[in-house]
Amino acid sequence: MFPQGVVAYLKLFLTHAALAPAINQMGSREAAGSAPCFSMRCFVPEAIPPTERTRVVRESHRGIYDREAIDKILDEGFVCHVGFSVDGQPYVIPTLYARVGDAIYFHGSAASRMLRNSSQGIPVCITVTLTDGFVLARSVFNHSMNYRSVVALGKAILVDAPEEKLEALRAFTEKILTGRWNDARQPNEKELKATSILRLPLTEVSAKIRVGPPEDDAPDYALPVWAGVIPLHLTPGAPIRDEKCDPSIPTPAYAAQYKR
Ligand SMILES: Cc1cc2nc3c(=O)[nH]c(=O)nc-3n(C[C@H](O)[C@H](O)[C@H](O)COP(=O)(O)OP(=O)(O)OC[C@H]3O[C@@H](n4cnc5c(N)ncnc54)[C@H](O)[C@@H]3O)c2cc1C
């Protein structure tokens, strides 16, 4: 179904289970379904057939509609860009997100323009991008990037149920640092009220993946120009203790040994 390179690459990165948030590791197959969905009874389709809007046009062989591959990208990323339009003006706002089962949750102040408008059920486009490498071809024209990205379309729905709101907030926290939710003070009623949570069901979604070496025009392979890939990784530094943090409190393992 996919070109061999993509299949090999998918096999490789699908093994990186450690990159997925615990909440989804603990049963994404079971925990998914039409959102809200935190139960074992839900069902995730193997693939989401592309629509006219989500079919990748250019380099269409890089388009992927397989749910497992899409989920892996969503679980590895933590910043998404939410696109929406107000009075004909498009806005694209970066924000945190978490996938829980069959939906993307994103949040912010109830007063922000994005959430004010998204909560009215306006259409949104959510994009997640993972940059894996600079691809240096022999010609400038064929320079590229290795990447994995997801585009999800639909109407974001404001989450009302307090338990779903809390579960989404837990997912934001646990996605980045497993164990942090229980260590830190959890949101009180006032904080919960001030936070809007939106849910975008994953019903119209595509992924696109570029892997591998540069692809030059045949005559250019003879050029005396270095070509190859510069891999890119997001590398965490050593934790920096807050000056106001009691020195007797040990640095938790999830911070001291944080890995991505
Ligand atoms: C880091 C990065 C750098 C890129 N640099 C370039 C560049 O310099 N020039 C360039 O032309 N393209 C670049 N792309 C690819 C770009 O994202 C589009 O795929 C490309 O513009 C072709 O779009 P299209 O005309 O096929 O689809 P469009 O008509 O724009 O989109 C149709 C549908 O295809 C799907 N789709 C398109 N692109 C993606 C994607 N990246 N991920 C998931 N779904 C997608 C969406 O569902 C979309 O609604 C880059 C992508 C990434 C992630």
Side-chain angles (χ1 to χ4, degrees):
M1 186 166 137
F2 305 126
Q4 243 183 346
V6 173
V7 172
Y9 181 73
L10 281 176
K11 276 188 190 150
L12 183 74
F13 91 80
L14 289 175
T15 59
H16 286 227
L19 295 170
I23 192 160
N24 287 319
Q25 279 177 344
M26 286 168 65
S28 62
R29 298 298 84 191
E30 300 89 343
S34 52
C37 186
F38 302 111
S39 85
M40 305 280 282
R41 283 162 296 165
C42 303
F43 162 78
V44 171
E46 294 282 304
I48 298 178
T51 65
E52 262 181 45
R53 305 197 300 176
T54 54
R55 187 180 299 283
V56 173
V57 182
R58 283 198 54 232
E59 309 281 5
S60 57
H61 61 283
R62 294 184 184 151
I64 290 181
Y65 311 96
D66 169 73
R67 261 309 298 273
E68 200 166 353
I70 288 168
D71 288 355
K72 289 287 173 189
I73 297 170
L74 292 176
D75 294 349
E76 187 172 331
F78 50 91
V79 173
C80 69
H81 287 81
V82 184
F84 57 95
S85 173
V86 181
D87 299 332
Q89 172 61 54
Y91 296 84
V92 179
I93 304 294
T95 192
L96 284 171
Y97 74 94
R99 176 188 74 87
V100 179
D102 220 7
I104 292 174
Y105 287 81
F106 56 105
H107 79 314
S109 153
S112 79
R113 188 206 316 264
M114 173 182 76
L115 292 176
R116 252 192 354 254
N117 288 288
S118 301
S119 60
Q120 288 159 20
I122 64 166
V124 296
C125 172
I126 290 192
T127 304
V128 172
T129 311
L130 307 174
T131 48
D132 293 330
F134 293 123
V135 180
L136 280 62
R138 287 146 189 92
S139 68
V140 170
F141 182 81
N142 283 315
H143 277 62
S144 187
M145 282 202 74
N146 280 340
Y147 60 79
R148 289 164 285 151
S149 54
V150 168
V151 172
L153 307 177
K155 274 196 171 174
I157 302 148
L158 192 66
V159 172
D160 281 329
E163 41 316 342
E164 190 185 354
K165 243 177 151 176
L166 261 184
E167 190 62 22
L169 287 172
R170 188 173 80 84
F172 290 138
T173 317
E174 290 292 291
K175 173 186 177 107
I176 296 171
L177 288 162
T178 305
R180 187 66 183 168
W181 179 256
N182 285 332
D183 275 1
R185 177 179 68 74
Q186 291 174 16
N188 60 31
E189 213 177 309
K190 190 176 158 210
E191 290 164 339
L192 213 52
K193 222 175 187 172
T195 308
S196 291
I197 305 277
L198 286 111
R199 174 191 349 113
L200 177 69
L202 288 168
T203 50
E204 205 177 354
V205 55
S206 59
K208 193 170 177 183
I209 296 179
R210 193 212 185 273
V211 287
E215 291 167 17
D216 270 300
D217 298 342
D220 287 345
Y221 281 92
L223 292 173
V225 178
W226 188 90
V229 172
I230 302 173
L232 296 174
H233 301 288
L234 195 62
T235 313
I240 302 165
R241 179 178 291 266
D242 177 8
E243 281 176 9
K244 292 178 187 159
C245 181
D246 180 345
S248 70
I249 300 172
T251 308
Y254 54 71
Q257 291 145 32
Y258 183 77
K259 281 197 183 73
R260 279 192 60 83

